[in-house]
Amino acid sequence: MTGIALFPSLSIYTMEPQHAQQHTNSSPGGNRPCNKRKEYLSWDEYFMSVAFLTAMRSKDPSTQVGACIVNADQRIVGVGYNGFPSGIPDEALPWDKTSPEGFLGTKYPYVCHAELNAVLNKNVESCRNCRIYCTLFPCCECAKVLIQSGIQTVVFASDKNRDEDVCKASKRLFELAKVQMVNYRPEFPELALSLRYPGDNVAAAPAVTARPLPTLTAPALESAADDRDAKEPRGKKGRGPNAGENGDVMLA
């Protein structure tokens, strides 16, 4: 990993694609050939893919964000995506980024971020010494939650809001709290996920009929929002405390 200085004492590391470890084509005893599959996902590919897959649960029409918390034993202990608090119908509050009614007419006061939900959804007592995989770099409010929960490493796919003050504040907080920041760079931009095995009888009536899902593509999840953001006046925009997805929130 390579350190990139953004502030006088701030370093963000770049995580290059990790390939499967090379092994000899023999068993430990040396008598039988080893036919282990070589095209399996690395841990980082797997956990970041889980974060992007989790993001597809988001109802936000602008940008869908996902997060996946992993412990030292490579076990997933929490996942989350951006959305309204539990018990509130998705149709009860606005999903708009701007509104004639002002701040209260937008989604920003109401949406919980993916990172916050991942911490709250944890299935262990503590997130201490865990790492979190985020599809988007956390805002400063989520940074506080991650630091307080004891997370030691933040692995993020996109840093497109890096020029916003709320993201600069996150980096400053992480640096002071000695939380490592790692920019994940995938070898391939997308992962095609098949929901059937070869040989399945596609003519047979399935027990559950699922609608077609789009290909899991990292750039695609943010490209549409980028296009919309480019057409909107920036004003005093950034990723604020309650920004629901990529943080384009009108700051008070």
Side-chain angles (χ1 to χ4, degrees):
M1 297 188 293
T2 305
I4 304 174
L6 298 182
F7 294 102
S9 61
L10 176 61
S11 293
I12 290 183
Y13 295 90
T14 301
M15 180 182 292
E16 300 299 338
Q18 294 184 356
H19 302 278
Q21 291 183 343
Q22 298 298 319
H23 297 276
T24 59
N25 291 324
S26 61
S27 63
N31 297 324
R32 299 188 306 274
C34 179
N35 296 320
K36 185 177 74 172
R37 178 172 168 265
K38 297 180 180 179
E39 294 80 17
Y40 59 88
L41 296 176
S42 69
W43 283 121
D44 293 313
E45 290 170 334
Y46 172 59
F47 296 132
M48 188 59 77
S49 296
V50 169
F52 273 105
L53 185 63
T54 303
M56 297 174 72
R57 278 286 305 154
S58 175
K59 317 307 185 303
D60 194 301
S62 298
T63 300
Q64 301 80 48
V65 180
C68 176
I69 302 174
V70 181
N71 67 15
D73 295 323
Q74 312 289 24
R75 301 292 186 267
I76 295 175
V77 299
V79 296
Y81 57 88
N82 54 311
F84 295 144
S86 298
I88 297 179
D90 296 320
E91 301 77 19
L93 293 169
W95 289 103
D96 302 303
K97 300 173 70 172
T98 60
S99 171
E101 302 175 12
F103 184 65
L104 293 180
T106 69
K107 62 186 176 182
Y108 300 121
Y110 314 114
V111 173
C112 298
H113 285 193
E115 302 91 334
L116 171 63
N117 281 330
V119 172
L120 295 177
N121 291 337
K122 69 182 185 299
N123 56 15
V124 291
E125 180 180 356
S126 173
C127 291
R128 189 161 302 280
N129 298 322
C130 289
R131 63 189 188 275
I132 186 169
Y133 290 79
C134 308
T135 60
L136 193 63
F137 190 84
C139 73
C140 58
E141 292 301 317
C142 285
K144 298 172 189 177
V145 173
L146 298 180
I147 292 169
Q148 291 294 85
S149 68
I151 287 176
Q152 291 296 304
T153 302
V154 175
V155 184
F156 59 96
S158 174
D159 193 20
K160 65 177 184 175
N161 296 323
R162 57 188 171 276
D163 294 330
E164 304 292 349
D165 287 344
V166 287
C167 288
K168 293 179 180 178
S170 296
K171 294 179 174 69
R172 183 175 296 178
L173 287 168
F174 286 144
E175 177 72 12
L176 291 172
K178 295 180 173 55
V179 173
Q180 187 178 36
M181 295 165 279
V182 181
N183 187 193
Y184 177 68
R185 303 288 179 84
E187 181 177 7
F188 302 104
E190 64 182 33
L191 175 67
L193 182 64
S194 175
L195 299 181
R196 289 184 181 274
Y197 282 106
D200 281 345
N201 185 2
V202 296
V208 177
T209 301
R211 61 181 176 82
L213 291 177
T215 301
L216 183 60
T217 307
L221 290 175
E222 54 180 278
S223 60
D226 287 341
D227 292 340
R228 279 189 289 270
D229 293 343
K231 298 177 183 178
E232 295 180 6
R234 295 182 63 83
K236 295 172 61 180
K237 298 172 70 177
R239 184 162 187 176
N242 296 303
E245 29 39 81
N246 64 348
D248 294 326
V249 57
M250 299 301 295
L251 303 179

